[in-house]
Amino acid sequence: RNHGLARMQAAEYVARRAAYLDAVACEFEKVEDAITGNVLDVDKQTLRLKLVTEHRTDGWVDVDTVDKLALRMLDDASPPVLVCAGPGTGKTWSTRQCVRRMAVELSKSASSPLMPLLVNVQQLARLRSNLGGTHPVVEYIRTRPGADRELLELLEQAFEMRALVLLIDGVDEAAALST
């Protein structure tokens, strides 16, 4: 994982990462219910999952909540995960809950360089025409509204180290965008 350009010393990375994880955990602590408008505490909500794990015998067969999914996705051997469901079934909400759970779990250990990043695929798709030679995720990071230079450096460093756990939301909505 440590193959990127060193933008900062290890101790600075650890400190910035800790601040980022705390901020993410706080940002995703509450979620607004799309139907009622009520603001809900993410930690008190549970969505049940049914994973399609054909012929799997590893730890994935026991994943039945977003909380367990988040923890399992932090494993080095985690394959990409695609959450499929119809409109209004909670994919965005689940993704936000997953980001929060990862941030809370990762904040318990300074030894892991991992950091979750929620990426809206529609925003990513809008950037694609202006990329030049830049990786789309790097451009996404650089265009985050309100992000200061230190946060941008941290996210780019994590990306280059392959330490970003990307959670991509809005894939089904992005299919309607023109190519």
Side-chain angles (χ1 to χ4, degrees):
R1 284 199 182 138
N2 205 5
H3 303 291
L5 171 69
R7 298 175 184 278
M8 62 196 78
Q9 297 295 319
E12 185 177 359
Y13 179 86
V14 169
R16 287 187 192 183
R17 177 185 168 274
Y20 171 79
L21 292 173
D22 288 345
V24 167
C26 186
E27 177 185 352
F28 292 96
E29 183 175 25
K30 305 283 184 190
V31 67
E32 183 177 340
D33 183 282
I35 297 171
T36 66
N38 294 336
V39 176
L40 305 171
D41 184 339
V42 167
D43 292 334
K44 293 181 181 173
Q45 308 303 312
T46 302
L47 284 178
R48 304 300 296 177
L49 303 174
K50 180 178 180 186
L51 268 60
V52 178
T53 55
E54 292 180 21
H55 312 294
R56 293 195 78 108
T57 58
D58 57 14
W60 284 97
V61 295
D62 296 328
V63 174
D64 61 355
T65 65
V66 173
D67 195 48
K68 288 180 183 177
L69 176 64
L71 295 177
R72 185 69 176 101
M73 287 172 56
L74 293 176
D75 184 335
D76 280 343
S78 174
V81 175
L82 176 63
V83 176
C84 300
T89 56
K91 295 181 301 295
T92 295
W93 187 90
S94 298
T95 304
R96 293 176 62 83
Q97 184 182 33
C98 207
V99 169
R100 174 172 163 71
R101 181 64 177 112
M102 286 179 174
V104 168
E105 187 64 26
L106 289 167
S107 68
K108 296 175 184 176
S109 170
S111 63
S112 171
L114 297 177
M115 300 185 336
L117 177 65
L118 180 60
V119 175
N120 181 291
V121 77
Q122 292 175 343
Q123 292 172 350
L124 195 62
R126 287 186 200 106
L127 294 172
R128 72 175 178 232
S129 62
N130 301 324
L131 291 177
T134 307
H135 191 285
V137 173
V138 172
E139 191 60 29
Y140 184 86
I141 290 168
R142 290 177 180 168
T143 59
R144 285 177 61 100
D148 63 17
R149 183 186 57 80
E150 288 189 356
L151 175 59
L152 298 177
E153 285 177 352
L154 173 67
L155 293 173
E156 284 191 49
Q157 178 72 53
F159 175 78
E160 291 170 1
M161 293 169 49
R162 292 180 167 65
L164 276 184
V165 179
L166 298 176
L167 291 99
I168 302 174
D169 187 36
V171 173
D172 50 347
E173 292 93 350
L177 295 176
S178 64
T179 55

